[in-house]
Amino acid sequence: MKKTLIAATAVAAIGAISATAQVVEQPKFSDNWSIGIEGGVTTPMHNNAFFGAMRPIMGIHLGKQLTPVFGLGIEATTAINTSSWHGRIHSSTAFDQSYVGLYGTADLFNLFGGYQCRVRPFTIEAVLGAGWGHDYFANDVDGTDDWNYFVTKAGLNFNFNVTDNFTIAVRPYVAWDMGGHFAQSNTGYNINNATFNIMAGVNYRFGKGFRCVRPYNAAEVDALNGEVNALRAALDESAATSAVLAAQTAALAAQLDSCQNRKPQVVKEVTNQYNSVRFVFFRVGSHKITADQMPNVEMIADYMKHHPKAKVVIKGYASPEGNYDFNVKLAQNRAEAVRNALVAKYRIAADRISAQGEGIGHMFDEDSWNRVSICTLESE
């Protein structure tokens, strides 16, 4: 039997080491406490009918789960006085036996199957305990009313975990009188000095239990720190770039505000070289050259025919009425309309003509005059 106790103690120690080796977050001291109550029966295992000497027993325990495998606790039980054992006189109280002791548990599923980071629906625990036993008997044949004795126990807990915190358990175990007055034969682990007990009860665990966490990996942490530092450097660079862009944006905004608040100026083309400039005016929203404007185009063509090396620069404009994007395109179309007329009707070489749109025109005080293509002749 001593070998059995040594083996059981070794199993519990291995369980503690196994649980510690797992990557389990250690909970607070106040977590994983449990309290339970149970009731059942007890009967001696020598010289008595097994059921005939059976009597009720009830108990309470307070435990602490140290690891997913190993736990410790304190418990107390008492047997109800219903009959006397071994022909002795009944106790004068309602109880004829009590026990207070310490116990240790080893969760066999977590020990051999590993902790699964959750509470299993069903578990089996190996239990070892030791403590103080006391028998209440009056007028004993030896003249002793009560006596105390050292008790050891071993058994199993069959736990049905209804929730993570609430358990219904069935607990069979054997308790040995290690040499007290009640021993029927040699002291120690002898069946003649033992009782069989089986109890069922409920147990409630406090706290949030054990949680699995990832192990600390120095290389992984260093790599992550490197990435964080690189991102910080990139962020600092982006912040500097943003500051430059913000300054440029502010400068452009100031220029835009200045342009928007500046009073419009009328640009007038003044030249003494009347022979070098011709104007072709257009109707609103149109780039078609009307018949009354064709003489101006013809004058440009006639000049270029008499001056074979002369060139002409045509700049198209639009008045500010209407959509801006439409007016920009319209200005370009007006310049190209004059160029196309020179090429198609008057056979002027295209490489002697430059045509470009200038957008909204402000050359003249009258907006309608700004619907124009200004043709500047360049002499030889």
Side-chain angles (χ1 to χ4, degrees), residues 65-366:
Q65 195 71 27
L66 303 178
T67 73
V69 173
F70 185 65
L72 292 175
I74 184 171
E75 62 180 342
T77 62
T78 184
I80 306 299
N81 180 18
T82 59
S83 63
S84 61
W85 289 352
H86 303 285
R88 302 188 189 278
I89 300 174
H90 287 264
S91 167
S92 60
T93 69
F95 309 100
D96 58 12
Q97 188 182 42
S98 65
Y99 167 77
V100 177
L102 300 176
Y103 67 87
T105 61
D107 189 312
L108 301 181
F109 283 21
N110 287 342
L111 175 63
F112 297 107
Y115 183 53
Q116 298 181 348
C117 303
R118 60 179 177 82
V119 176
R120 287 182 168 93
F122 174 73
T123 58
I124 299 176
E125 293 176 323
V127 183
L128 294 177
W132 169 63
H134 185 81
D135 285 343
Y136 305 86
F137 287 101
N139 300 319
D140 183 73
V141 294
D142 295 331
T144 303
D145 290 339
D146 301 339
W147 60 79
N148 301 315
Y149 49 96
F150 180 59
V151 177
T152 60
K153 59 175 287 187
L156 296 172
N157 291 342
F158 297 93
N159 299 319
F160 300 88
N161 299 306
V162 181
T163 69
D164 288 350
N165 299 93
F166 184 73
T167 298
I168 298 174
V170 178
R171 298 187 172 99
Y173 67 91
V174 177
W176 287 270
D177 177 353
M178 301 302 293
H181 190 82
F182 189 52
Q184 298 296 315
S185 59
N186 295 331
T187 60
Y189 292 100
N190 190 303
I191 196 67
N192 297 320
N193 305 332
T195 61
F196 175 77
N197 309 266
I198 183 167
M199 305 177 74
V202 294
N203 185 70
Y204 185 81
R205 290 182 297 277
F206 299 90
K208 55 187 177 181
F210 297 96
R211 294 185 300 178
C212 292
V213 295
R214 291 187 60 191
Y216 176 82
N217 186 309
E220 183 178 0
V221 172
D222 290 342
L224 291 174
N225 284 332
E227 293 182 13
V228 170
N229 292 332
L231 290 173
R232 284 176 177 169
L235 181 61
D236 292 339
E237 183 178 354
S238 298
T241 303
S242 297
V244 172
L245 293 175
Q248 294 177 352
T249 301
L252 290 173
Q255 293 178 13
L256 177 61
D257 185 64
S258 176
C259 291
Q260 289 176 337
N261 294 327
R262 187 172 59 189
K263 190 174 181 179
Q265 296 179 355
V266 177
V267 178
K268 299 181 180 180
E269 281 211 15
V270 179
T271 179
N272 292 323
Q273 299 177 353
Y274 295 107
N275 292 330
S276 64
V277 178
R278 292 292 182 269
F279 300 94
V280 179
F281 294 96
F282 296 87
R283 296 185 183 279
V284 62
S286 175
H287 61 271
K288 181 179 179 181
I289 303 174
T290 58
D292 61 315
Q293 295 299 314
M294 284 304 296
N296 295 327
V297 179
E298 186 176 350
M299 290 172 66
I300 297 169
D302 186 62
Y303 179 89
M304 297 185 75
K305 288 179 179 179
H306 287 86
H307 300 82
K309 294 183 179 182
K311 295 183 179 182
V312 63
V313 176
I314 305 170
K315 295 183 179 181
Y317 296 89
S319 59
E321 300 94 335
N323 180 270
Y324 175 80
D325 293 334
F326 175 78
N327 285 335
V328 170
K329 185 175 181 181
L330 183 60
Q332 180 67 37
N333 290 339
R334 285 171 174 169
E336 292 178 354
V338 177
R339 180 187 61 183
N340 293 340
L342 290 172
V343 172
K345 186 171 182 178
Y346 298 103
R347 301 294 189 269
I348 304 300
D351 59 359
R352 298 175 63 190
I353 305 170
S354 174
Q356 58 193 43
E358 296 293 329
I360 306 301
H362 298 286
M363 294 76 63
F364 304 103
D365 293 336
E366 294 293 332

